[in-house]
Amino acid sequence: GLRAKGGFEIVDMEWSEGQLKKLVIRSNLGGNLRLRSPNALTTRGGDALTPAQGENPNPFYFMENIPDPVVSPDASLSPLPLKPVHVYDVQTRKGKVYTFVASATP
């Protein structure tokens, strides 16, 4: 199966026209699930999700500190346009399955 950083297993995922319609995740270790989606999501029951803030507190999601690149002041760089995403934090328990669906409101 497909696994995600932090001890999560993607059980089922449905897409339509570039939008995530349904996502089912099993938490194998428990802890914080940091979830990124191109569209707004809710729980299967319609409950709103908590927007993520700051560093991911899940100890299994360790990110190395990467220094900024050295760039010549003469270089002409323009930032890449990135599509906005929705980022959520979901507190999970070991062994529990969580289902998320596309939100009716963007």
Side-chain angles (χ1 to χ4, degrees):
L2 187 58
R3 304 223 177 231
K5 193 180 257 192
F8 300 101
E9 179 181 347
I10 299 167
V11 177
D12 188 26
M13 191 167 25
E14 296 175 16
W15 292 86
S16 178
E17 298 179 14
Q19 300 291 302
L20 184 59
K21 296 300 178 187
K22 180 181 176 185
L23 175 64
V24 181
I25 294 181
R26 177 179 293 115
S27 176
N28 293 318
L29 302 173
N32 189 65
L33 164 65
R34 172 88 25 117
L35 182 61
R36 283 178 170 70
S37 172
N39 53 291
L41 300 175
T42 63
T43 65
R44 178 179 54 195
D47 296 329
L49 298 175
T50 304
Q53 295 183 1
E55 295 288 324
N56 188 340
N58 188 327
F60 296 107
Y61 190 86
F62 176 74
M63 297 291 290
E64 290 286 336
N65 287 328
I66 300 171
D68 290 335
V70 177
V71 179
S72 168
D74 298 330
S76 62
L77 301 174
S78 56
L80 295 173
L82 299 176
K83 292 182 179 180
V85 295
H86 299 266
V87 183
Y88 305 104
D89 276 340
V90 179
Q91 294 303 315
T92 69
R93 291 192 338 218
K94 181 179 178 179
K96 190 168 178 196
V97 175
Y98 299 84
T99 301
F100 307 98
V101 295
S103 175
T105 57

